[in-house]
Amino acid sequence: MKQARVIFSGIILMTLMWLPVYGQFFDESTTVKYDTNYIEVYKDELTTRLYLSRKQNGYTLSDRLYKPWIQYKTNDNLLLGLGYTYSFLTLNLALKMPFINQDDELYGESKYLDLQTHFMFRSYIVDLYMQWNKGYYISNPEDLLNPWDSEQNFPQRGDMRTNILGLNVQYLFNSSRYSYKAAFWQNEFQKKSAGSPIVGLEAYWMLGMTDSLMVADGIPPSGFMGNDPFNQSDVLNVGINGGYAYTFVWSERLYLSLTSLFGLSGGYNRVHYTLDSHTLNSGFTAGLTNTTRISLGYNNSTYYVGLSLQRFTMATLAGSSGDWFSYNTGNIRLNFVKRFKLKRSIKILRPDLWIL
């Protein structure tokens, strides 16, 4: 698995290196192809945003796909962030707000590093994400521990960590009338209601690991992984996805955008117990993913204010055991956006090739 992670990381890094110079393969005279009755673009403007965000990650063990057994979650925090979008590139940076998130005693302390880069072209969307999370708590102790006193602190797993690397490339079929950028990055403007089918390719590597047993002592056995001890699960999957996106527009100012994508993947999975170097299960496996995005807001040519919700879930079958490991991440955000006209364009980001 170590070699596979290195190869996967190399693919992501090469993609990052290639994208900023993609424009050299296209002629300078490339024309922008979109219907101006439906879309207004701000390709020469810098879109800046101030936002409040609440994010949570979950890691679930299930003996059936839609029947969770143990649900681990991170202690979500309120974040204050700044970001910008220009041409196809968006970068955001958010920090934990002090004096507000004061519930570590109840849920435990969670630490994380979340790096995401989104390249949104006219017809293509490229998502790159790298997440490192440490510190989880059991969010459903009432289902596992009997009796459970709701007044006490949640069972905490400060030694639990998850790492994930992901790459997602998608194609919009109706990009001439539907703008994905308008709904989620606000550097375009959707004038009329429109939608588009979406298809894509995805790849991800995920690690879930604890220093001790992943199923802690005191939790009654359920038959998960044959009740054998383990503390690590590795997943490396590649697959396809597809779905639909639609934006409802009222009076060219208010809008509601809905997107849902489902994916099917195959790859390699290993469940391991590092303390005695024992592998419980390994080999080819299948996986499912879902991406849901919702955005609601008020928009004009200069300002934007609105709410957005993004949620990503991946579930992977542990080989022949019939058990599932699932990871999910969600983010709800309140955005305040201002667009600025620049005196000079940023040529390396090639706003003249807005069509791609």
Side-chain angles (χ1 to χ4, degrees):
M1 288 300 294
K2 183 177 181 180
Q3 182 179 9
R5 293 196 295 267
V6 172
I7 294 173
F8 188 78
S9 301
I11 294 173
I12 289 180
L13 289 175
M14 286 190 292
T15 303
L16 281 169
M17 294 172 62
W18 174 82
L19 284 168
V21 295
Y22 76 97
Q24 64 180 315
F25 298 104
F26 298 88
D27 186 80
E28 291 282 351
S29 62
T30 302
T31 58
V32 177
K33 296 181 180 179
Y34 60 89
D35 190 334
T36 56
N37 294 315
Y38 282 79
I39 300 173
E40 181 178 347
V41 304
Y42 306 109
K43 66 178 182 178
D44 295 317
E45 297 185 18
L46 180 67
T47 301
T48 61
R49 65 182 56 83
L50 173 69
Y51 62 91
L52 293 173
S53 174
R54 182 172 289 275
K55 193 166 198 174
Q56 189 174 67
N57 302 290
Y59 190 67
T60 302
L61 311 182
S62 308
D63 51 12
R64 277 181 280 178
L65 179 58
Y66 296 108
K67 187 180 179 181
W69 176 40
I70 303 178
Q71 300 182 69
Y72 294 106
K73 290 185 178 180
T74 55
N75 184 358
D76 56 334
N77 295 303
L78 186 63
L79 308 176
L80 178 64
L82 293 172
Y84 82 87
T85 297
Y86 184 81
S87 186
F88 60 84
L89 180 62
T90 293
L91 294 176
N92 294 313
L93 175 64
L95 298 175
K96 180 179 177 180
M97 294 186 67
F99 312 116
I100 294 179
N101 307 288
Q102 303 295 320
D103 54 5
D104 289 351
E105 183 177 349
L106 180 61
Y107 299 110
E109 182 182 4
S110 296
K111 298 180 180 179
Y112 58 89
L113 175 64
D114 188 350
L115 302 175
Q116 297 187 38
T117 302
H118 307 274
F119 301 89
M120 290 194 179
F121 305 95
R122 164 63 49 211
S123 300
Y124 293 92
I125 304 166
V126 180
D127 297 316
L128 291 163
Y129 44 92
M130 293 172 277
Q131 293 183 350
W132 287 259
N133 306 295
K134 184 176 181 180
Y136 283 75
Y137 69 95
I138 296 178
S139 64
N140 64 329
E142 66 280 358
D143 298 330
L144 304 171
L145 305 174
N146 189 18
W148 165 252
D149 183 3
S150 60
E151 298 297 324
Q152 62 182 315
N153 297 334
F154 283 78
Q156 299 168 14
R157 296 299 306 267
D159 64 329
M160 173 172 280
R161 57 194 180 274
T162 57
N163 301 338
I164 181 171
L165 298 174
L167 169 64
N168 196 347
V169 181
Q170 297 168 330
Y171 176 76
L172 297 173
F173 284 89
N174 188 27
S175 59
S176 63
R177 292 189 173 184
Y178 171 78
S179 172
Y180 207 87
K181 303 177 187 181
F184 297 99
W185 297 124
Q186 300 90 42
N187 61 340
E188 292 190 353
F189 187 93
Q190 187 80 46
K191 297 179 179 180
K192 296 182 180 181
S193 300
S196 176
I198 304 175
V199 297
L201 301 174
E202 61 186 16
Y204 58 84
W205 164 75
M206 180 185 69
L207 167 70
M209 189 173 184
T210 58
D211 294 336
S212 56
L213 295 175
M214 189 169 289
V215 181
D217 292 334
I219 297 178
S222 72
F224 188 88
M225 299 303 301
N227 297 324
D228 291 330
F230 69 95
N231 70 327
Q232 179 177 330
S233 174
D234 286 274
V235 175
L236 179 62
N237 277 6
V238 178
I240 58 174
N241 58 53
Y244 200 84
Y246 196 90
T247 297
F248 301 90
V249 179
W250 297 275
S251 302
E252 293 193 5
R253 289 292 181 267
L254 294 173
Y255 80 89
L256 172 64
S257 183
L258 306 172
T259 303
S260 187
L261 304 171
F262 294 90
L264 177 64
S265 59
Y268 181 82
N269 171 260
R270 184 185 71 154
V271 182
H272 193 68
Y273 186 42
T274 60
L275 300 184
D276 62 4
S277 299
H278 173 60
T279 298
L280 281 68
N281 192 290
S282 66
F284 180 82
T285 187
L288 301 172
T289 62
N290 173 251
T291 300
T292 299
R293 290 185 169 113
I294 303 172
S295 181
L296 171 67
Y298 174 85
N299 209 355
N300 64 27
S301 60
T302 304
Y303 296 96
Y304 164 87
V305 61
L307 283 168
S308 64
L309 170 66
Q310 300 188 46
R311 183 174 177 83
F312 173 71
T313 302
M314 65 173 73
T316 302
L317 184 64
S320 59
S321 70
D323 297 316
W324 292 81
F325 292 85
S326 302
Y327 175 84
N328 65 78
T329 180
N331 186 10
I332 184 169
R333 179 185 293 177
L334 175 62
N335 296 285
F336 302 92
V337 172
K338 174 72 166 64
R339 304 182 187 95
F340 295 92
K341 292 184 178 180
L342 301 181
K343 294 182 179 180
R344 294 182 180 180
S345 63
I346 304 176
K347 294 183 179 180
I348 192 174
L349 298 183
R350 298 301 298 273
D352 56 301
L353 296 178
W354 202 258
I355 181 178
L356 184 63

